[in-house]
Amino acid sequence: MSLAFGQTVLAIPGPSPAPERVQRAMHRGSPNIYEGELVDMMPGLVADLRTVARTEHDVSFYIANGHGAWEAALCNVLSRGDHVLVLATGRFAQGWREMAEKLGVTTDMIDFGPRAPIDVEQVVEALKADDGRIKAVLCVQTDTASSVRNDIAALGRAIRATGHEALFMVDCIASLGCEPFEMDAWNVDVMVTGCQKGLMTPAGVSFVYHGPRAWAAWEHADLRSGYWDWERRARPELFYQRFAGTAPTHHLYGLREALDMLVHEEGVENAWARHATLAEAVWNAAEAWAEGGVVVPNVVDRAHRSIAVTTFRIEGGQAQPLRQWCEHQMGVTLGVGLALDMNSNVGAELFRIGHMGHLSPHSLLGTLAVVDAGLKALGLPHGSGALDAAISGIVEASRPAQARTA
């Protein structure tokens, strides 16, 4: 007998659950795309997207997923035969590299492995040894497969301190809106993200943010095409130019509602704090399960773990049975294990819990309780006290400040 006939829970690391308010905002007839409310709300959307990324720079919209944003970013600043340096901490920087090579860009990659962050000193050494060949440095803030989180602030400072002219390009698809990101203060030239994770809108729209150094590279980029070119998208004379044609009308209505919730109601910094508290609850549970058990967090050091997703390893390839039990018996869908590099099969030993976007403690604690039940139901060795550990951090964070310091 399955018990999964009540409310189900999607606990994958994107697309994250879309709030009912966002879904209701999208549930409407098609609007006039030439004038009226849809056109009038665009300046506010752009302003709020800048607020989330802490930037005064331009942002271009694409009717595409994150892979589309990758390609758009590359096409607007590079030419065939250009060379880039890719910093890999899992699968997704490698995927961006693969796309660059298919466009005729040559690459070098420093692979830091799927359990540790970028070593800034190695990057500095590579740039100091370069003779100007490297046109851009590519990395991710959070690798969604490995759940490694990189220190973008430190990396941005270090790159600029070398005096190297390479553009700094960052994938924030899994992290924007979930944890601190300061595009301008951190010397990021190009940032890519999508609407379906921290921005809480159903998948289908992505964004490329780009600053003055990226615009300077755009002047000479021969990979620019009619569709990916960001010139009119970022600074359109007419509304339709922002989308190279018909706008993703209903996504824009949903995004407007989501940004109202994130920017104007909760506040971006409060959202960062909420995500940090919920991530710690997951980590507390993870470390309790790992005591004498077969389930361990992929990233050992908390300082290097993603705030938005946690990847788990299960010895003996039991990740799939656990995921299936949680979904089919309990109605909780966990994230599948993705290979941590483009040539690996290790995804069979992994599962992931997404803790991003429209998420509150009761939903997250329910997910952790189901995983705990699944470990017991399948007879998988694990440490005890995971739920108490998860709850303790949430209780502490919820106390009034004076009670926490007493």
Side-chain angles (χ1 to χ4, degrees), residues 278-344:
L278 297 178
E280 290 218 6
V282 177
W283 303 343
N284 289 344
E287 289 162 8
W289 287 326
E291 288 291 331
V294 298
V295 181
V296 296
N298 179 59
V299 180
V300 175
D301 190 338
R302 285 189 175 211
H304 304 146
R305 291 179 189 162
S306 168
I307 302 299
V309 52
T310 299
T311 300
F312 294 83
R313 292 173 174 259
I314 300 187
E315 296 174 14
Q318 293 297 306
Q320 184 174 351
L322 177 64
R323 286 191 302 98
Q324 290 177 336
W325 188 91
C326 291
E327 182 169 8
H328 300 311
Q329 294 296 323
M330 296 286 135
V332 173
T333 302
L334 304 175
V336 300
L338 297 178
L340 299 183
D341 65 60
M342 303 304 288
N343 302 306
S344 168

Side-chain angles (χ1 to χ4, degrees), residues 94-355:
Q94 296 179 51
W96 205 359
R97 176 198 192 192
E98 209 173 65
M99 182 167 286
E101 291 181 337
K102 289 179 179 177
L103 291 170
V105 174
T106 63
T107 70
D108 281 329
M109 183 173 75
I110 306 177
D111 188 351
F112 298 94
R115 307 190 77 176
I118 293 166
D119 181 340
V120 173
E121 288 306 312
Q122 284 192 53
V123 180
V124 168
E125 291 172 9
L127 292 176
K128 286 182 176 178
D130 181 58
D131 60 2
R133 185 177 178 225
I134 297 171
K135 302 301 182 185
V137 177
L138 277 59
C139 71
V140 301
Q141 184 173 30
T142 280
D143 187 285
T144 324
S146 66
S147 74
V148 171
R149 176 166 61 98
N150 291 304
D151 188 342
I152 302 302
L155 191 55
R157 284 194 303 271
I159 291 172
R160 291 285 74 82
T162 67
H164 200 289
E165 291 299 314
L167 296 175
F168 185 28
M169 302 174 65
V170 181
D171 171 336
C172 291
I173 293 169
S175 55
L176 190 70
C178 303
E179 65 177 282
F181 178 77
E182 305 265 356
M183 181 172 181
D184 297 359
W186 295 357
N187 302 301
V188 177
D189 297 301
V190 178
M191 185 268 279
V192 302
T193 195
C195 70
Q196 74 274 18
K197 300 196 180 192
L199 297 183
M200 303 183 291
T201 304
V205 177
S206 56
F207 312 94
V208 180
Y209 293 74
H210 37 98
R213 297 179 75 249
W215 273 109
W218 172 89
E219 295 280 355
H220 308 288
D222 74 12
L223 285 173
R224 281 189 281 141
S225 65
Y227 186 76
W228 296 118
D229 193 330
W230 67 35
E231 180 183 26
R232 288 189 174 182
R233 290 175 179 271
R235 301 170 181 175
E237 296 175 6
L238 299 172
F239 174 75
Y240 75 86
Q241 292 172 338
R242 188 176 289 279
F243 306 98
T246 304
T249 54
H250 292 67
H251 277 83
L252 297 179
Y253 284 121
L255 181 64
R256 177 64 276 161
E257 192 72 20
L259 289 172
D260 283 345
M261 297 170 68
L262 175 60
V263 176
H264 300 291
E265 296 173 18
E266 183 176 20
V268 176
E269 292 184 3
N270 290 330
W272 294 343
R274 171 171 56 87
H275 280 86
T277 295
L278 297 178
E280 290 218 6
V282 177
W283 303 343
N284 289 344
E287 289 162 8
W289 287 326
E291 288 291 331
V294 298
V295 181
V296 296
N298 179 59
V299 180
V300 175
D301 190 338
R302 285 189 175 211
H304 304 146
R305 291 179 189 162
S306 168
I307 302 299
V309 52
T310 299
T311 300
F312 294 83
R313 292 173 174 259
I314 300 187
E315 296 174 14
Q318 293 297 306
Q320 184 174 351
L322 177 64
R323 286 191 302 98
Q324 290 177 336
W325 188 91
C326 291
E327 182 169 8
H328 300 311
Q329 294 296 323
M330 296 286 135
V332 173
T333 302
L334 304 175
V336 300
L338 297 178
L340 299 183
D341 65 60
M342 303 304 288
N343 302 306
S344 168
N345 226 0
V346 77
E349 300 175 357
L350 307 172
F351 73 93
R352 298 174 296 157
I353 295 177
H355 33 92

Side-chain angles (χ1 to χ4, degrees), residues 39-61 176 183-184 191 199 207 209 233-234 236 242 252 255-256 258-260 262-264 268:
V39 178
D40 295 342
M41 76 181 189
M42 285 307 300
L45 273 181
V46 171
D48 288 346
L49 286 169
R50 286 173 172 158
T51 295
V52 178
R54 292 293 200 262
T55 185
E56 298 296 322
H57 299 328
D58 290 307
V59 55
S60 295
F61 291 60
L176 190 70
M183 181 172 181
D184 297 359
M191 185 268 279
L199 297 183
F207 312 94
Y209 293 74
R233 290 175 179 271
R242 188 176 289 279
L252 297 179
L255 181 64
R256 177 64 276 161
L259 289 172
D260 283 345
L262 175 60
V263 176
H264 300 291
V268 176

